[in-house]
Amino acid sequence: RGGQVVWSACRGKWVSLFHVPLDFGAVWYAEADAPTGPWRNAVKVLDHDNYTFYNVVIHAEYGPDAPYLVFEGTYTRLFAQKPVPTARYDYTQVLYRLDFADLDRKFPAR
């Protein structure tokens, strides 16, 4: 798996964003009490249908107490199954923001 772990004072947990082999277009989110895990109840928070998104990096400089995570990754069709290229965006870095309030609304059982 590729991803990153950072402390979130807002969540009171260690949080991780990662991708898994063979699902390169998706980004998963998980929380743990320790930076080494265990990581339970992972949820898919981003998916690029038949496109690759990897090298996920969390921008922790936005502050550990922020109510969101800012992250980026490499967006490319290179490892996908013959997708239609996204004009002007193929093989570039894309920046996203994961709002914890949205996460709680979408996945209330967390």
Side-chain angles (χ1 to χ4, degrees), residues 25-80:
V27 175
W28 292 77
Y29 172 88
E31 298 177 343
D33 293 325
T36 55
W39 302 92
R40 296 196 173 112
N41 302 319
V43 292
K44 188 184 288 191
V45 294
L46 181 64
D47 198 2
H48 298 88
D49 188 31
N50 196 25
Y51 230 80
T52 305
F53 190 77
Y54 65 102
N55 287 342
V56 176
V57 175
I58 298 171
H59 287 277
E61 65 269 17
Y62 286 97
D65 56 347
Y68 54 81
L69 287 179
V70 175
F71 66 97
E72 71 175 284
T74 304
Y75 179 76
T76 180
R77 67 184 176 142
L78 185 62
F79 305 108

Side-chain angles (χ1 to χ4, degrees), residues 89-109:
Y89 286 95
D90 189 40
Y91 212 84
T92 191
Q93 295 302 109
V94 179
L95 192 66
Y96 286 97
R97 185 177 90 168
L98 174 62
D99 189 319
F100 291 135
D102 288 342
L103 184 69
D104 290 337
R105 280 192 290 278
K106 290 178 185 173
F107 308 104

